[in-house]
Amino acid sequence: MSSPMDQLVEYIEYILTPSTAVFVVGTLIVFLVPIIVHILVTRATPYTNLPSVVLVGPPGAGKTSLLTLLERGDAATSTHTSQVPQSIELTVSVDQHLSFREAVKDDAPGEHKKFLLVDTPGHGKLRNFAMDSLVAREGLKGIVFMLDAATLDENLAATANYLYEVLLALQKRVMKGKTSKTPSVINVLIAANKSDLFTALPSTLVKSNLEAELGRIRKSRSKGLLASGVGIDDVDNEENDDWLGEYGSEKFTFGQMQEFNLEVDIVGGSVAEAKVDKWWHWVSERL
Amino acid sequence: MLDTFEILTTSGVVLWSRSYAQVSPSIINNFITDVFIEEKGGAVAGAKNNQSAAQNPPYRADQHTLKWTFVKELGIIFVAVYRSLLHLSWVDKLVDNLKTIFVDLYGDQLKKPNTTLVHCHKFDEYFDQQLRELESATATRGAPAPTFALETDEAISGNLGDEPPLPPGLKHRNAKAQDDLPSTVESTPIATPTSSRPSTPGGNHLVVGKGGPMSKMSRRARKMQKGSPAPMSSGDESSARKKKAPKKGRKWDADGFADEEDDVQLDYSAAPNSITSDSEVEGRSTAIDSVDSSTWGVKTSKGQFVLRDLDDEVHDILASAQSKPSTTSNSGLFGSGLNTINSLFRNVVGGKTLTKEDLAKPMDGMKEHLIKKNVAPEAAVRLRDSVEKELLGVKTDSFESIDTRIKKAMEVSLTKMLTPTSSLDLLRDIELVTRPSGFSTQKARPYVMSIVGVNGVGKSTNLSKICYFLLQNKMKVLVVAGDTFRSGAVEQLKVHVRNLKELTEREGGRVEIFEKGYGGDAATVARDAVRSATSEGYDVVLIDTAGRRHNDQRLMSNLEKFAKLANPDKILMVGEALVGNDSVMQARNFNASFGQGRTLDGFIISKCDTVGDMVGTLVSIVHATNVPVLFVGVGQHYSDIRNFSVRWAVEKLLNSN
């Protein structure tokens, strides 16, 4: 019987003696370890490649409600002001024209496609989440801008301001991308929520009001002051960089955005009454 | 009585709620906005992780009081809403206990990515149980029967042991209730004799039990006293003072209770149990199974199987949550050595879970860096705390050092702090007031802006810069010389107006000066100016004011009257970028000087060109007031005024050289 110490010495000697087995094992370790480490590291981020649809809009429009409605399929839960973005995984059937209730079921017919629906906080201080995802997100298939059609009269200025920011960010993204890989058409859906309420405007009126207000914002912005840092650091900024739509045009229409590969649709609906199938179909068609 | 109890995620989804009275959702929305997003009410009041509800300042909104607690790693908020008129002392405990229970039961579900679904409809039962228990416990305290009060007290001051009983409403209770979670758990009187829990067998037994101290307890209660850790059983053992169970692992060992069997008269297992009745059947039939039966039942010495009811489960959860902190032990020298090596490795490779110790040094470095950038220490500390709070327990990404992670988090914090709540488009605002749309009922009137600040910061200069900007947009501007005090102030404005007139003659703007000489009351001058501007159809009225020291009560008190008479649409304060720590107090005092319900609307930071990267004043004043910065002055000419860009400021502040 050899003591454990002897066994250890024997073992070490065996490893240090050149032999075929030692060489083979050594080579395997040298080549396999980096590969395994790589796999382990990349496996940590499995969700990056799904296409995504981002929900943006002013607070209180119903973004989180829509998200919960689409996820649960029966009814939206009550919600409060969001502080962090939240993404959920949803499945659409590509070839079938299903309502969202049917699509949420596990046994929905047709070819399935998964995507991420990303909810962003609408509060003014937290909009950088949304803006960052508009600028940088990969696999961005569409943007749903939700607004409250029932209180649009009072909130027109604030809502249009946010929409202006969103459209401008997208326009800049497309312009920048022109040289390299151009992101193909970016689709924007303006979802006029709360059509169940008495004061809600129909989508045509929402459209004309928004266009008028966006035109006014565009005009006043063009006359406004430069942002700090701009005048000092990069004077060679192109003048029409911050101009939304066709440069120099008198009136703003959403049609002008097509020049920048931005398709804008306006569709009414209601989360409270679960009339969101039109939006759902819009989303499914864009994926 | 409680109005509403809600459990919601930071992403805004209500996971579970119970409502007893209609409460407007805007109350909780405002609560979230004020406490979590805008962090009103001083330093990092918002969102302290895992703090007991008693320590979180209650949020009050029209007639309602909100008690809340927050679990950061899961991103859930627990809010209880009740009428402010009621003094519900047990709400803190309720919130804390429910937090512990909810996290224990559904924590795993909450960690799943890409879903908001949490199956927690069973939580109703736990909520009811807690509510009943706490409510009845409160009722007990006021009860006249001395023995009962005694026992309650004893239960709370558990470690007093054999000491003589204290009178009802003793101090220990209050002192303890202030403590963190453990003590609230401990002080939850679990099975005090008076607590009537009709649906649980324990309560029934207690009511019919004999008068003696021992027989008063149910069999189960004594079992718990023997075999379970002290905090959990503290309520049950109230009447048997001598037996103080030490903290040890729970064992549902039948033999341990055999000797006390005789004085229990009722068949415990036969007691109707409405809550768990469905699973009870299953429990009986599988009683002989070899599975760890302690998870759902207890075996008595007679061999009967007693299903553990909801109370037991809840108490278990609470007790285990309490004992958790003590279980984290180091596994010897070797273990700690390995940990050190591991953490060093993680420092480089990333994937490290950040602890307070990891963060302490780099966070202080970050604070120093901010102070070097002229951020007031008070604001720097707040930023440091908020970033630290955000990073605790966070895992770094692959190949990301702590410093990069901190910088990233600081960028987010700064951006959040400096970004205004609503968009600030001055021209659009003016247009809305001077040319209201057909729908609105408001009449067209001039837009009134006034400018305040301490002496020599550049009030008149910035006023003329804004004036120049407005004139270029073809507006009719009336400049009001509200400084009726300093020699040459009116003349100075006159010179400005003359220059501006010449500069903008071709552009189409029009500017006039309104002055009443020296010695008059600035507020009256301003009011007269606004009146005459309205009748003459001016677009904008710009009111200059005398510079005043912010800690001079006599001068500052004039501002309230001024705000009332002139009623400006915007009151802007000019602060210099050069000023250091005083900026916080300046901003605070000015912000508070306009009387009830009126605050500053924005800041103009002048002389930004003279400080280079050290734009910390921006942060200090926004920290102090939550009022956004509108403009920055960047030079000596009329055109040297800029809109404030958050990104520019954040870049400058984090730029290290």
Side-chain angles (χ1 to χ4, degrees), chain B residues 93-304:
Chain B
K93 265 179 254 157
L94 178 76
V95 174
D96 283 342
N97 287 359
L98 287 176
K99 176 187 81 177
T100 316
I101 296 168
F102 194 84
V103 169
D104 185 88
L105 291 173
Y106 308 113
D108 295 338
Q109 287 191 52
L110 286 161
K111 278 178 195 149
K112 277 190 217 153
N114 295 338
T115 180
T116 63
L117 289 174
V118 175
H119 299 285
C120 56
H121 28 267
K122 279 218 183 112
F123 194 68
D124 283 349
E125 293 162 14
Y126 295 92
F127 179 80
D128 288 337
Q129 187 270 342
Q130 274 296 315
L131 191 66
R132 211 167 40 235
E133 191 168 288
L134 287 168
E135 264 187 315
S136 55
T138 323
T140 309
R141 236 190 307 163
T147 49
F148 291 159
L150 256 179
E151 280 152 9
T152 320
D153 295 331
E154 176 81 21
I156 291 142
S157 53
N159 46 4
L160 285 177
D162 289 296
E163 272 180 33
L166 287 146
L170 77 179
K171 284 152 207 139
H172 294 285
R173 168 171 210 98
N174 302 331
K176 285 228 155 195
Q178 295 299 316
D179 275 344
D180 217 328
L181 186 71
S183 71
T184 44
V185 174
E186 195 177 331
S187 64
T188 311
I190 287 162
T192 45
T194 40
S195 61
S196 58
R197 288 170 296 159
S199 64
T200 58
N204 293 342
H205 284 284
L206 290 164
V207 172
V208 290
K210 282 183 199 160
M214 286 306 287
S215 61
K216 211 173 233 168
M217 295 185 299
S218 73
R219 180 202 307 166
R220 183 168 51 94
R222 262 182 290 112
K223 257 173 242 150
M224 290 168 81
Q225 165 199 347
K226 271 231 161 180
S228 65
M232 205 210 87
S233 59
S234 59
D236 294 312
E237 68 188 326
S238 53
S239 42
R241 283 164 215 151
K242 299 161 282 183
K243 296 189 178 171
K244 202 84 258 181
K247 272 195 190 184
K248 58 182 176 189
R250 161 178 295 234
K251 271 186 199 154
W252 295 102
D253 185 11
D255 303 336
F257 315 120
D259 51 331
E260 290 166 36
E261 200 52 45
D262 45 358
D263 60 339
V264 179
Q265 320 133 320
L266 296 171
D267 186 1
Y268 191 67
S269 62
N273 189 332
S274 60
I275 295 175
T276 49
S277 58
D278 49 347
S279 51
E280 198 168 12
V281 182
E282 183 193 271
R284 292 247 177 74
S285 63
T286 53
I288 42 163
D289 261 3
S290 59
V291 270
D292 180 18
S293 55
S294 69
T295 52
W296 42 276
V298 209
K299 219 177 198 176
T300 67
S301 63
K302 280 178 186 165
Q304 287 162 322

Side-chain angles (χ1 to χ4, degrees), chain B residues 20-59:
Chain B
Y20 294 99
Q22 196 68 36
V23 173
S24 159
S26 66
I27 289 180
I28 294 183
N29 283 347
N30 290 343
F31 154 71
I32 293 171
T33 314
D34 289 351
V35 174
F36 289 91
I37 300 178
E38 291 173 19
E39 294 179 359
K40 279 181 191 161
V44 206
K48 275 224 180 93
N49 184 28
N50 253 333
Q51 208 176 32
S52 150
Q55 276 154 317
N56 286 324
Y59 179 83

